[in-house]
Amino acid sequence: MPSPSEPLLRVENLSLGFRQGGRVVPVTDAVSFEIGAGEVFGLVGESGCGKTVTCLGLLRLLPAASAVVLSGRAWYHGRDLLQMSAEEMRAVRGAEISMIFQEPSAALNPLLPVRAQLRLPFRHHAWPGDPDARIRDLLARVGFADPDRVLRSYPHELSGGMLQRVMIAHALLLEPRLILADEPTTALDVTIQAQILDLLADLQRETGVGILLITHNLNLVAQYADRAAVMYAGRVVEQGPAGALLNDPRHPYARGLLDALPNLETARVPLPIPGSVPAPDKYPAGCRFHDRCPRVFEPCTRDPAWTHVEPGHGVACHLYESTESVGVRFNRAPTTGTP
Ligand code: SF4
C-alpha cells in the first residue's frame, strides 16, 4: 500500500510517440500529474490533445508495433508501470487499475452475452468469492433491477446507458484501486450522462476507488473531480483544484474551453475557440496554442515555463511568468513549423 502521503499514481514527464514513415512523431510531451487514493482527477481538453493516448499508454494498451515511450515514469505502488513485464502488467490491468472505454458498444463483444463477458476477468485473476454472486451484486449496484435479464442479453439488446452501466460494473469487478474513465458519457444523451456520472461518483465514495476522468467538458470536471489538468496539443498547460479551473482558469486555452460551453445562469452565448488542435506532426514551435490564442504576444514564440499561480495551481503561459517561475518545463519535443 502506498503511504498516506504517497499518491496512488504519479505520472512524471510522460512523453509518448508513434512511428510514422521511418521516424517517431512525439504525441505527448512531459505529461505529469498525480492521483491520490480515492481522488477523482480530471484530464480535460479537446479531442486530439493526447488524453486518451496518455491513458492507454499508462495501461500499456497502445499498439506495441507503433507506439514508443520517449521518456517518463508512471509510478504505481512504488513500481513503474512502463517498466513492468507483460506478465506483471496483466496482473495489474483489470485487477488493480481498470478502464472504462468511450464507446461501450465497441468495447463489448457483440457475439457474447453479457454474462460471458463479465466472467472473463475471473478466468485471469483470483477472486475469493463466487464470481456470479459478485457480478449480480455489481449489476444491482449500477442500477439494474433485473440483473439476470441483463446477463442473458447480447450488447445489441441493451441501450447506450445500460451498456455503459455494464462497463462500469465490469471495471469494478475485481475491486480495483484506480479506474481510468475515458469520456465515459460521450456516447450518451445529457440525462443519461448525468445519471452515469452520479453513479460513478457514488461508487467512488462507497468504494474509495481513485478515478482518472477524461473529458472535454470543464463543467463535468468541476462537478465531479477534486483536481484536474488541462491538456493542449500533447502538453499539460494548466493544473490545479477543479473548482479553481472552473471559476478562475488562467491559461487562455482553459478559458476558451469554458467560454465554449453554454452557461444557463448567465445565458451567455457559447464562443467556440477558433481553429483546431494541430496534428502531432504539425505542432508549432513555442507555445503550441499561439495560433489560436487571443492573447498571443512576442514571447509566445518560445516555450512557456511552468509557473505556480497559487499553491497547487500551475500554468504554462508567458502571461504568468515571473521570477518565481519553476524552471523551463517544456524544451524537448522536436517540433515542426514556425509561429
Ligand atoms: Fe497565449 Fe502566449 Fe499564453 Fe500561449 S503563452 S497561451 S500564446 S499568451
Side-chain angles (χ1 to χ4, degrees):
M1 290 286 290
S3 72
S5 58
E6 202 179 315
L8 185 59
L9 176 72
R10 187 169 67 241
V11 180
E12 294 176 352
N13 295 316
L14 179 60
S15 299
L16 300 166
F18 286 94
R19 293 188 182 87
Q20 190 178 296
R23 66 187 180 124
V24 175
V25 176
V27 173
T28 67
D29 182 17
V31 170
S32 298
F33 59 87
E34 294 179 354
I35 307 176
E39 183 179 37
V40 180
F41 186 88
L43 206 50
V44 200
E46 294 163 284
S47 296
C49 282
K51 311 180 302 294
T52 297
V53 166
T54 299
C55 194
L56 293 174
L58 290 173
L59 273 186
R60 309 257 298 274
L61 291 173
L62 293 170
S66 57
V68 181
V69 177
L70 297 167
S71 64
R73 298 266 191 251
W75 297 106
Y76 173 76
H77 278 225
R79 293 181 297 162
D80 183 358
L81 293 173
L82 306 175
Q83 299 297 324
M84 284 184 184
S85 66
E87 194 179 337
E88 287 175 309
M89 202 61 218
R90 270 195 296 275
V92 166
R93 216 183 278 130
E96 297 189 45
I97 306 177
S98 62
M99 184 151 178
I100 299 172
F101 294 93
Q102 278 186 31
E103 294 275 359
S105 53
L108 292 167
N109 186 335
L111 302 177
L112 289 178
V114 168
R115 181 172 185 274
Q117 304 196 50
L118 291 182
R119 287 211 60 153
L120 273 177
F122 297 102
R123 281 171 47 183
H124 303 288
H125 300 276
W127 179 254
D130 173 7
D132 286 324
R134 172 73 178 159
I135 290 168
R136 279 199 185 79
D137 176 47
L138 271 175
L139 288 179
R141 278 161 76 183
V142 299
F144 288 115
D146 185 358
D148 285 316
R149 189 181 80 77
V150 176
L151 289 170
R152 286 192 302 273
S153 304
Y154 285 81
H156 74 272
E157 297 176 297
L158 302 176
S159 69
M162 292 168 89
L163 288 176
Q164 197 55 289
R165 286 171 193 273
V166 169
M167 285 300 298
I168 291 172
H170 185 274
L172 286 165
L173 279 175
L174 299 168
E175 292 188 333
R177 293 195 170 89
L178 178 63
I179 294 177
L180 312 184
D182 184 9
E183 303 265 13
T185 57
T186 294
L188 307 175
D189 63 51
V190 175
T191 317
I192 305 296
Q193 173 177 294
Q195 285 176 13
I196 293 290
L197 288 169
D198 286 344
L199 169 66
L200 260 182
D202 287 348
L203 291 168
Q204 186 275 326
R205 279 190 291 271
E206 202 179 306
T207 63
V209 67
I211 296 178
L212 175 62
L213 176 63
I214 295 183
T215 177
H216 56 274
N217 188 329
L218 209 44
N219 270 336
L220 291 186
V221 160
Q223 202 173 339
Y224 293 99
D226 302 298
R227 294 182 306 117
V230 178
M231 281 188 78
Y232 183 75
R235 292 173 170 172
V236 172
V237 296
E238 184 164 357
Q239 185 167 172
L245 284 175
L246 182 76
N247 296 319
D248 188 19
R250 305 301 179 94
H251 196 281
Y253 178 61
R255 177 85 250 168
L257 286 179
L258 198 59
D259 289 344
L261 292 170
N263 186 325
L264 296 180
E265 282 174 20
T266 62
R268 179 177 44 71
V269 177
L271 290 172
I273 305 172
S276 55
V277 183
D281 60 348
K282 301 278 193 307
Y283 287 158
C287 171
R288 292 179 177 176
F289 187 58
H290 74 263
D291 55 354
R292 303 176 72 191
C293 180
R295 304 196 59 187
V296 62
F297 62 130
E298 186 278 329
C300 306
T301 55
R302 299 189 298 276
D303 282 341
W306 189 255
T307 305
H308 291 294
V309 289
E310 54 193 12
H313 187 175
V315 62
C317 173
H318 289 294
L319 291 170
Y320 301 94
E321 281 178 6
S322 69
T323 52
E324 291 174 10
S325 294
V326 182
V328 175
R329 191 162 181 243
F330 305 134
N331 58 1
R332 290 154 303 277
T335 51
T336 57
T338 51

